[in-house]
Amino acid sequence: QVQLVESGGGLVQAGGSLRLSCAASGNIFSTLKLNVMGWYRQAPGKQRELVAAIISGGSPNYADSVKGRFTISRDNAKNMVYLQMNSLKPEDTAVYYCNYKTVAGDYWGQGTQVTVSS
């Protein structure tokens, strides 16, 4: 029903920046237009964790570990969500997944690798 494709991952040095993008396609609208788009990440040997999320009304929230460094935004006209990552740390290394939640479904992208070197 909904397809999500992430892009923008790569290898960066600590302190650097990266901008992730997620393109959504398909049936992304519900009757009430209630949805949350977000970014999760999963490092080897660890559980997937929420990084940032933004609801349809525009209110963002962040994991404590990235607060002040990452910024999530969405462009509803383009059906895109972004994650601007600044001051990257080696512990940010993970596969980052785009997520789209509605009352009718929960959708995931395939992920994009982010590697931060010291």
Side-chain angles (χ1 to χ4, degrees):
Q1 186 178 27
V2 175
Q3 297 79 46
L4 304 174
V5 179
E6 304 97 335
S7 62
L11 174 64
V12 297
Q13 291 186 321
S17 297
L18 208 59
R19 184 176 176 86
L20 305 183
S21 299
C22 174
S25 62
N27 185 16
I28 65 173
F29 298 107
S30 66
T31 301
L32 298 178
K33 296 180 175 63
L34 178 62
N35 64 80
V36 181
M37 299 196 74
W39 291 93
Y40 290 70
R41 67 187 182 188
Q42 187 168 22
K46 300 185 67 176
Q47 291 185 308
R48 189 174 299 184
E49 64 177 353
L50 174 68
V51 177
I54 184 166
I55 65 173
S56 54
S59 298
N61 65 87
Y62 302 92
D64 289 339
S65 59
V66 307
K67 196 170 297 182
R69 299 188 297 120
F70 291 9
T71 302
I72 188 171
S73 60
R74 60 189 293 172
D75 186 333
N76 293 324
K78 297 180 179 179
N79 297 326
M80 300 283 291
V81 62
Y82 308 93
L83 185 68
Q84 178 67 46
M85 304 184 294
N86 298 325
S87 302
L88 283 162
K89 305 175 181 179
E91 49 263 46
D92 295 319
T93 296
V95 177
Y96 284 70
Y97 297 90
C98 182
N99 174 255
Y100 178 59
K101 299 184 188 295
T102 73
V103 295
D106 191 1
Y107 307 92
W108 295 90
Q110 291 297 308
T112 184
Q113 177 70 48
V114 172
T115 302
V116 184
S117 62
S118 300

